[in-house]
Amino acid sequence: MSRMGVVRTERSGARHAGSRASLCAVVFGLAMAAGAAEAAPAIQWEVANRFPLFRNEDHFRALAGLYAGLPLADRQNQPVMALEVELEKRADARQLGKAFGDPATIWRFGWASALARSTCFSATNRGHWGCKLANGEDYVGARKSDILASITEAPAGRQCQWLVNGSVAATAACDTAQIRLTDIPIGTAFTLSVKADGSALAEAPDQTIRPITILGMGDSFASGEGNPDKAAVLGTDVNNFQESSHLPGESGWRGRLRLYPLRYKHNFDKSFGIGALWINQQCHRSLYSHQLKAALALALEAPHASVTYLGYGCTGAEVFEGLLGYWVARDDVPKDRPGKAGQYDASPQVMRALRDLCPLPLTGYNRFSPPAHFSWDIDLKRCAAFKRKPDILLLSIGGNDIGFSRVIAGEALAASSNFLSLRRTAERLWIKGAGPITFQDATAAESSLAERYRVLAQAFERLLGLTASQVIQTGYPQMLHTGSGTCPHAPSGEAGTAGMDLHEIFRINKPTTGPESVTFVDGLNAKIPTLVGWQVVSDFAAAFKGHALCQPGMADGSNAPDGLRFPISNPTGQRWTPFSPPAWQAYRPRQRWFVTPNDAFLAANTMRTLAGSGGDPHMNGRAQPVLAATLSGSFHPNALGQAAMGDGVLKALRQKLGLPAPTAPAP
């Protein structure tokens, strides 16, 4: 059980102190008086499900129980990271409990796989607005909630009446561990009181369930790209994808070819098999997002709050394509068909927020495909009244606007003439048809962010009622800093392929890539606060040093296969080294905090046959292994990296909302 808010009441009684008492007697008397005060009955209560995005209260209560068991220092300083590690340790030990379902499934696919299809986001209506909670309330703008209450120093063997605003709400034995009180108003003061056999025992006046509404917007770092809620299901059948690539160290017509694992139930004539699961497939939005994790941690540590989280982050988003304008992202998701609901939604993130926050009908906010003509400042209108006014906006935006993906394409993709067409395919997927650029080019583009941020801030205030003081912008983490140096080159100077040996196209050849990356990230994080009036959080970037993309090993120091080497198979797929793909644990904590191309292939495995924008029309085509890495979140923070970012955001959230860090549990 998580720690609950406590309201104490003192028993009345005379205090005695003799004028001729010795110093020891005075001290003893004071101690006795203090003990008597502590022994007075006190009402404890907490909101039963403080994070109703998880519709199943059992899921939140299970998370709250794990959170309560974390050391105080972790709950104060790094609760997001500590909880993520604890979840994955227990998943690995198959000890997460019945709320998470089948232990073997969680062992393989991660804790979020148990929650992904029971949230208050619906892919078919493309939002949160239609979600009904267990008590019948709307998720957005809920007016009532249940609380769990108890009494400290409760008299044994007596019956207690619980009263809310003077009316009896429940009757139970006074020493009942917890009692549920239903339909408690949100945002309105109420009084809790307890009577034992008709006599007043304790009272807690002026109590309030504080409603907190947090929006999350931005790019792939906001969505959680690279971290599917449930990883793809890989089997042991193999294919060389039309001789897509040689094994490391092999070349020429006699060189051995890479054999790739196929998804379970793969059929080249019909389907790729069982793919990864996301809260939102089109945007690759995930429960592992640092924005969601920070909001969840806030709910876990604030017993008297109800936190409504509305996430809209989308991979590839920019200010004018994604936040304020239409952006397709993954365009191979189901579109609307006659008589069938689709999932396709290219609408701007600000429009999606209005869709959720504004009362029905949603006229003007439910346009999912780009219209012939659209201008956010003309076509988007603020609704007359919100179902609930947002308190905070968490934001990650700017990297795509200055071309960071184009930098990665220039630094991490290399190809001989045999694979030049594949490199161009990957570049089209990453950078919208433009060519690669250098770190210096991206740095020069930073000045263009000032105008984009200015327009975005104007839109936030006019359409969502959010001032600059209500926006928390995250910076970007270090990807190639090893703590003592940088990736990717080994001491002998060869190209860096650690974590990216799944295909010949991936490699970092330039010895300058690592140092230039460190300088670029530091410079960008320092530049953003000078361009905008939002609070910018980037202190977490330093924590990524020592957890670079190229660093091997598991976080617990074990010798378990960590995926820095891609598995190699014999021709029948019956023998694999260093591990078999079905044994891959996507979310077992590793030393690195970034998703490698190998990780991306093994976890998300996003393939496609949609031609025209980088797809390969053939299921066994030569480009599919490259697609399965580039479309799956390579070079993005993994679950631990997202957790580190979440802890940085949580500290800013506490400050903005005036909520303290946790203290020691009440005695």
Side-chain angles (χ1 to χ4, degrees), residues 200-263:
L201 184 67
E203 185 176 62
D206 297 323
Q207 303 299 294
T208 306
I209 297 176
R210 180 179 178 181
I212 299 174
T213 301
I214 299 173
L215 310 184
M217 293 187 184
D219 52 23
S220 53
F221 280 47
S223 72
E225 173 69 276
N227 301 282
D229 299 294
K230 183 178 180 180
V233 184
L234 297 181
T236 56
D237 290 341
V238 295
N239 187 271
N240 68 15
F241 287 98
Q242 297 179 356
E243 302 184 357
S244 173
S245 182
H246 290 97
L247 285 168
E250 302 282 340
S251 61
W253 67 273
R254 289 188 176 183
R256 292 180 300 160
L257 296 171
R258 166 74 70 187
L259 296 174
Y260 295 91
L262 303 180
R263 293 187 201 162

Side-chain angles (χ1 to χ4, degrees), residues 64-95:
L66 293 176
Y67 168 82
L70 298 175
L72 176 61
D74 282 346
R75 288 189 286 116
Q76 291 174 329
N77 301 312
Q78 54 170 12
V80 182
M81 177 66 77
L83 181 60
E84 179 63 34
V85 171
E86 184 66 18
L87 282 164
E88 293 310 328
K89 280 183 179 179
R90 290 180 180 249
D92 183 53
R94 308 192 185 205
Q95 295 175 348

Side-chain angles (χ1 to χ4, degrees), residues 347-391:
S347 57
Q349 291 178 42
V350 170
M351 180 188 288
R352 300 183 197 202
L354 292 169
R355 189 184 303 158
D356 284 332
L357 293 169
C358 297
L360 297 174
L362 302 176
T363 305
Y365 305 127
N366 55 354
R367 296 171 298 190
F368 308 116
S369 297
H373 303 284
F374 176 80
S375 173
W376 74 267
D377 55 340
I378 296 173
D379 295 323
L380 290 182
K381 308 293 183 183
R382 182 174 175 176
C383 49
F386 294 127
K387 289 184 283 188
R388 178 155 291 147
K389 189 178 184 302
D391 296 288

Side-chain angles (χ1 to χ4, degrees), residues 54 59 63 84 87-88 91 96 99-100 105-119 227-231 277-279 285-289 292-293 587 639:
F54 298 156
H59 289 152
L63 293 169
E84 179 63 34
L87 282 164
E88 293 310 328
L96 263 184
F100 291 89
T105 299
I106 302 303
W107 177 89
R108 183 172 178 184
F109 300 116
W111 65 267
S113 63
L115 283 64
R117 282 298 175 258
S118 60
T119 73
N227 301 282
D229 299 294
K230 183 178 180 180
L277 178 69
W278 304 83
I279 296 178
R285 194 179 311 132
S286 164
L287 293 178
Y288 291 101
S289 160
L292 186 148
K293 287 183 172 184
Y587 294 109

Side-chain angles (χ1 to χ4, degrees), residues 494-642:
E494 65 264 25
T497 57
M500 54 181 74
D501 61 333
L502 74 101
H503 200 285
E504 293 171 76
I505 194 175
F506 295 106
R507 66 185 58 221
I508 303 178
N509 286 318
K510 295 187 290 187
T512 58
T513 297
E516 287 185 354
S517 170
V518 171
T519 300
F520 172 77
V521 171
D522 284 344
L524 178 60
N525 286 339
K527 183 74 171 180
I528 292 175
T530 69
L531 303 176
V532 68
W534 307 321
Q535 180 173 353
V536 179
V537 176
S538 59
D539 291 348
F540 59 78
F544 277 75
K545 297 177 181 179
H547 302 285
L549 180 79
C550 63
Q551 292 191 272
M554 308 303 290
D556 61 5
S558 70
N559 294 321
D562 69 353
L564 207 61
R565 288 175 53 203
F566 198 77
I568 296 175
S569 169
N570 67 358
T572 63
Q574 300 306 306
R575 182 170 57 82
W576 294 83
T577 57
F579 63 92
S580 178
W584 172 252
Q585 292 174 268
Y587 294 109
R588 186 169 177 185
R590 293 169 171 81
Q591 185 66 25
R592 63 184 173 277
W593 288 359
F594 264 83
V595 175
T596 69
N598 290 2
D599 297 335
F601 183 101
L602 293 166
N605 204 255
T606 303
M607 297 187 179
R608 67 189 297 183
T609 56
L610 184 67
S613 56
D616 191 323
H618 305 290
M619 281 195 171
N620 64 341
R622 202 180 193 201
Q624 292 298 352
V626 177
L627 301 178
T630 57
L631 286 178
S632 299
S634 300
F635 311 109
H636 287 79
N638 62 18
L640 294 184
Q642 289 283 348

Side-chain angles (χ1 to χ4, degrees), residues 267-280:
N267 184 320
F268 280 132
D269 295 326
K270 296 179 180 179
S271 71
F272 285 119
I274 302 177
L277 178 69
W278 304 83
I279 296 178
N280 180 270

